[in-house]
Amino acid sequence: MQTLEAIARRKSTRDFNPNQSVPDEVVDTIVKAGCQAPIGGNQRDSLHLTVCRSRDILDEINQSTAAAMKIDRRDFFYGAPVVIFISASSKQMAPGVEYANAACVIENMLIAATDAGVDNIYLWGAVQALAKNKELCAKMGIPEGFRPVSAAAIGYSLSGNAQPRELSVSLSANDI
């Protein structure tokens, strides 16, 4: 698949098949794509990726998130069999740069996932609740001094693959 075709096909999936796993070599390729993302100040050691395939851990995060949000329990990961969490060190070169860095990592992973025929979604809400649960972060192997800032859920949709959409660009009269 060409880059622009993968970008055109990428969509947020909210109906993953929890019983269809993603092959390890595909997950590895997706993670490697994330590791190639541009990072502010080239501070590569300021981010940590955690691949979670444990339904038990994801259920714990769901319960913790639902409790924090004071809502009935639901699946904040939409049944995805794999969730890749991006955590950031407290040592950042500028306030908020960790979110920009995580967004670059995740966008690379989402495009790579789409290119591999794997459906995906960018996640934020449940990750914010997880960041407040130090015990669960430790259980997931997130290093001391890091906190989750974003995640990408990957898997295969129950409703099928996305159809390409038209990519269009609108230029203003001031463009040179």
Side-chain angles (χ1 to χ4, degrees):
M1 188 179 303
Q2 295 295 314
T3 303
L4 291 179
E5 184 182 351
I7 291 169
R9 283 188 177 275
R10 209 225 60 84
K11 71 170 182 121
S12 294
T13 298
R14 292 177 176 85
D15 67 341
F16 292 100
N17 180 346
N19 300 316
Q20 188 177 3
S21 64
V22 180
D24 289 342
E25 59 276 4
V26 175
V27 174
D28 290 346
T29 297
I30 292 166
V31 169
K32 284 177 185 174
C35 291
Q36 296 305 311
I39 303 298
N42 201 29
Q43 292 185 302
R44 300 215 168 264
D45 60 349
S46 69
L47 296 178
H48 178 82
L49 278 65
T50 304
V51 177
C52 182
R53 293 177 177 267
S54 168
R55 191 78 247 163
D56 290 340
I57 295 284
L58 296 174
D59 285 345
E60 275 190 68
I61 298 168
N62 280 326
Q63 290 172 358
S64 177
T65 301
M69 297 173 83
K70 298 182 174 132
I71 60 173
D72 289 333
R73 184 173 174 236
R74 62 172 244 200
D75 187 353
F76 294 95
F77 305 110
Y78 307 104
V82 179
V83 180
I84 305 166
F85 293 89
I86 315 303
S87 300
S89 164
S90 57
K91 299 173 188 165
Q92 297 293 322
M93 62 180 268
V97 74
E98 66 271 24
Y99 294 103
N101 288 339
C104 290
V105 169
I106 288 176
E107 183 67 4
N108 272 18
M109 291 193 303
L110 299 184
I111 299 301
T114 301
D115 185 59
V118 177
D119 298 301
N120 52 77
I121 188 169
Y122 188 120
L123 300 168
W124 190 76
V127 178
Q128 297 311 302
L130 169 62
K132 296 175 184 172
N133 189 329
K134 301 298 180 206
E135 190 175 294
L136 193 48
C137 286
K139 188 175 188 177
M140 292 175 62
I142 295 171
E144 181 95 19
F146 283 74
R147 67 174 172 41
V149 293
S150 296
I154 61 173
Y156 299 98
S157 172
L158 291 168
S159 62
N161 290 332
Q163 296 303 310
R165 53 188 186 267
E166 183 70 28
L167 293 180
S168 63
V169 177
S170 176
L171 300 176
S172 73
N174 296 332
D175 287 339
I176 298 174

